[in-house]
Amino acid sequence: MRKVFRKLHLWLSVPFGIVVAVICFTGALLVFEDEITSLYYSGVSTVEPQREVLPLGVIVEKVEQGLSSGSEVTGVVVSSSPCEAYKVNLSKPRRAALYVNQYTGEVQGDYRRLGFFSGVLRLHRWLMDTKPGDGGIYWGKIAVGASALVFVVLLLAGLVLWLPRNRKMFKNRLKVVFSKGKNRLWYDLHVTGGFYAALLLLVMALTGLTWSFGWYSDSFYSLFLSSESDVSIVTQLPDATTGATTVSHNRAAQATLVAENDAVSAATLLAAQSDGSTGATVKADGVSGATTANNGADGSTGATVKADGVSGATAVANCSAAGKYGSWSKALEAVAALCPDFAEITVSAGSVSVKYDGWGNSRASDKYNFDESAGTLLSVQKYAGTPEKSRVRGWVYSLHTGSWGGVIVKFLYFLAALLGTALPLTGYYFWIKRLYGKRKQK
């Protein structure tokens, strides 16, 4: 049986090994893309904290005045750190953004995905191929998918071949020896390194295949999704006159169900969003320092309201932003008061997305909807209430990229991907050496 696995391991490696090495190496380069990009843009993405922050609506209005025709603001990313500039996302060019000083309204610089990483991603996913406009065969995508599928078989066959026959072999196959020459080092990298990296490489390969083949994606997700994978739970938030209700929406059947109310206190919500008769002064220190304003449209004195439902929440919200983006200001301030421990808030037309620090699904977020004319919060969809399909897809992405566990996990993914690169290269070395040795004997 071992002989069969050895032949399978060898003859699948020969035609697919080069592509596997390219996929693993480019994957290793992409692991720390976010961190490297943040470092690259650190000169324009950081600010000196000041006492008052401009209303979000005012910032967006100022940015739009300087945009070229056809481009508009699609959203604003707000960090919990007062030292991080606002990131204003634009509709054109694709994935473009501007870093804006939230204290002065000054545009500090623009953001683009680094060309190096764009090229690495194209090589990683499509071998630099482009999708045919006429619906033809996407050869680069197929080649990557086929190689990833073969890689899964190679890893499993390699694990079978790794199994030692006795205790002494077991000890030797758990360590890499550096003192016995190049051949022994390369052998240990292939055998021992492959064993240690196998689990993470299998995770990366099995999740990556969901982007290569539709049939695989459908089968993969069917293993993890229940029959109610499209069900979402949306909590209608209270205003000054109504209480909170929770509604569950089945996107497939458009059915409406009553569910248990989300644990958001009415006191907190009313502190974060007041009606037009009295001005609520709210403190949202997570946004970037303290800003104070009167929310009362009639010029009456703003009342200070303590948001008891939010642990440790203080300051407040400047609800006097002018222009068509004034509602964005009010929505941001209300959500920041409700979620003082946020890591990042993204505000766009009619919705606010909230992300938190911690391990797990890197795409997890709570989503609030707001009235675009008044800025009052209308409903919230907590991460636990998002459709199961969306949560599973987020986990697949997080498991594939290593973004689920912080810098240490990313480093382990980086090492595993480098070892994945070394596996076919060291395999080729020993295969060619064996072929050359046989010819020499003849």
Side-chain angles (χ1 to χ4, degrees):
M1 182 61 72
R2 291 177 68 91
K3 189 175 181 179
V4 173
F5 279 106
R6 186 174 287 108
K7 291 290 185 183
L8 180 69
H9 191 77
L10 172 62
W11 293 114
L12 285 178
S13 299
V14 171
F16 291 97
I18 289 294
V19 180
V20 168
V22 170
I23 294 171
C24 288
F25 183 66
T26 52
L29 294 177
L30 290 168
V31 169
F32 289 106
E33 179 186 0
D34 290 342
E35 289 76 9
I36 294 172
T37 301
S38 296
L39 184 63
Y40 180 84
Y41 284 109
S42 60
V44 293
S45 65
T46 56
V47 296
E48 187 70 30
Q50 299 179 23
R51 288 193 61 184
E52 293 190 0
V53 178
L54 291 175
L56 182 62
V58 173
I59 293 174
V60 177
E61 290 280 359
K62 290 183 69 173
V63 170
E64 281 217 327
Q65 290 173 8
L67 294 180
S68 59
S69 178
S71 182
E72 60 182 15
V73 174
T74 58
V76 181
V77 181
V78 178
S79 171
S80 59
S81 171
C83 298
E84 290 290 325
Y86 283 9
K87 186 179 178 183
V88 180
N89 296 324
L90 307 178
S91 59
K92 295 179 181 179
R94 187 172 180 265
R95 291 188 178 180
L98 297 172
Y99 287 109
V100 182
N101 188 318
Q102 62 268 37
Y103 305 101
T104 64
E106 174 192 1
V107 176
Q108 301 192 150
D110 61 347
Y111 166 86
R112 301 282 191 282
R113 185 174 195 173
L114 298 181
F116 171 76
F117 287 114
S118 296
V120 170
L121 181 65
R122 284 189 60 203
L123 187 59
H124 181 72
R125 293 191 61 182
W126 311 295
L127 297 179
M128 304 303 288
D129 193 12
T130 54
K131 186 176 182 179
D134 58 358
I137 299 176
Y138 202 168
W139 289 111
K141 182 179 180 180
I142 291 176
V144 168
S147 299
L149 197 58
V150 167
F151 192 35
V152 172
V153 177
L154 292 174
L155 288 169
L156 295 176
L159 286 174
V160 172
L161 295 173
W162 177 89
L163 293 174
R165 296 175 180 174
N166 53 57
R167 183 175 296 181
K168 184 178 180 181
M169 288 182 65
F170 178 76
K171 290 182 179 180
N172 289 334
R173 292 195 173 180
L174 289 176
K175 58 186 178 181
V176 177
V177 179
F178 293 89
S179 59
K180 293 187 178 181
K182 177 179 62 177
N183 286 344
R184 176 59 188 270
L185 176 61
W186 286 20
Y187 177 82
D188 285 347
L189 284 177
H190 191 88
V191 176
T192 307
F195 170 73
Y196 284 124
L199 178 59
L200 288 180
L201 290 173
L202 280 171
V203 169
M204 287 184 259
L206 291 171
T207 52
L209 280 166
T210 60
W211 287 284
S212 295
F213 300 117
W215 60 267
Y216 179 89
S217 179
D218 293 340
S219 302
F220 182 90
Y221 285 112
S222 67
L223 294 175
F224 301 99
L225 297 177
S226 65
S227 58
E228 296 184 348
S229 60
D230 286 329
V231 173
S232 62
I233 299 176
V234 179
T235 303
Q236 304 301 321
L237 299 180
D239 56 24
T241 58
T242 63
T245 57
T246 303
V247 180
S248 173
H249 298 285
N250 187 311
R251 294 183 177 179
Q254 296 298 316
T256 303
L257 305 171
V258 178
E260 182 182 355
N261 183 30
D262 186 85
V264 179
S265 75
T268 303
L269 294 169
L270 293 177
Q273 57 177 60
S274 70
D275 61 9
S277 60
T278 60
T281 302
V282 187
K283 181 182 175 187
D285 56 348
V287 176
S288 51
T291 58
T292 309
N294 186 358
N295 188 37
D298 57 359
S300 58
T301 303
T304 301
V305 185
K306 182 179 179 182
D308 294 330
V310 179
S311 156
T314 47
V316 163
N318 191 343
C319 301
S320 62
K324 64 177 182 178
Y325 294 105
S327 61
W328 289 30
S329 300
K330 189 174 180 181
L332 169 63
E333 293 152 358
V335 171
L338 291 172
C339 312
D341 56 343
F342 74 90
E344 181 180 281
I345 292 179
T346 302
V347 185
S348 55
S351 69
V352 181
S353 176
V354 185
K355 287 187 175 183
Y356 301 90
D357 284 327
W359 286 26
N361 185 349
S362 61
R363 292 186 168 180
S365 64
D366 296 337
K367 292 180 172 59
Y368 292 80
N369 291 321
F370 65 90
D371 186 325
E372 290 192 62
S373 60
T376 53
L377 301 182
L378 302 175
S379 62
V380 59
Q381 184 181 64
K382 293 290 188 179
Y383 168 66
T386 56
E388 183 184 16
K389 183 183 294 184
S390 176
R391 298 198 304 272
V392 172
R393 287 185 183 277
W395 266 110
V396 167
Y397 172 82
S398 302
L399 288 171
H400 183 73
T401 60
S403 57
W404 57 270
V407 175
I408 294 177
V409 170
K410 279 193 169 187
F411 185 69
L412 293 177
Y413 269 66
F414 175 74
L415 289 180
L418 286 183
L419 285 170
T421 306
L423 291 178
L425 298 181
T426 52
Y428 279 131
Y429 170 78
F430 288 113
W431 177 63
I432 294 172
K433 186 179 178 183
R434 190 179 300 114
L435 288 179
Y436 181 74
K438 288 181 179 179
R439 286 184 181 181
K440 213 170 182 183
Q441 288 176 2
K442 291 179 180 179

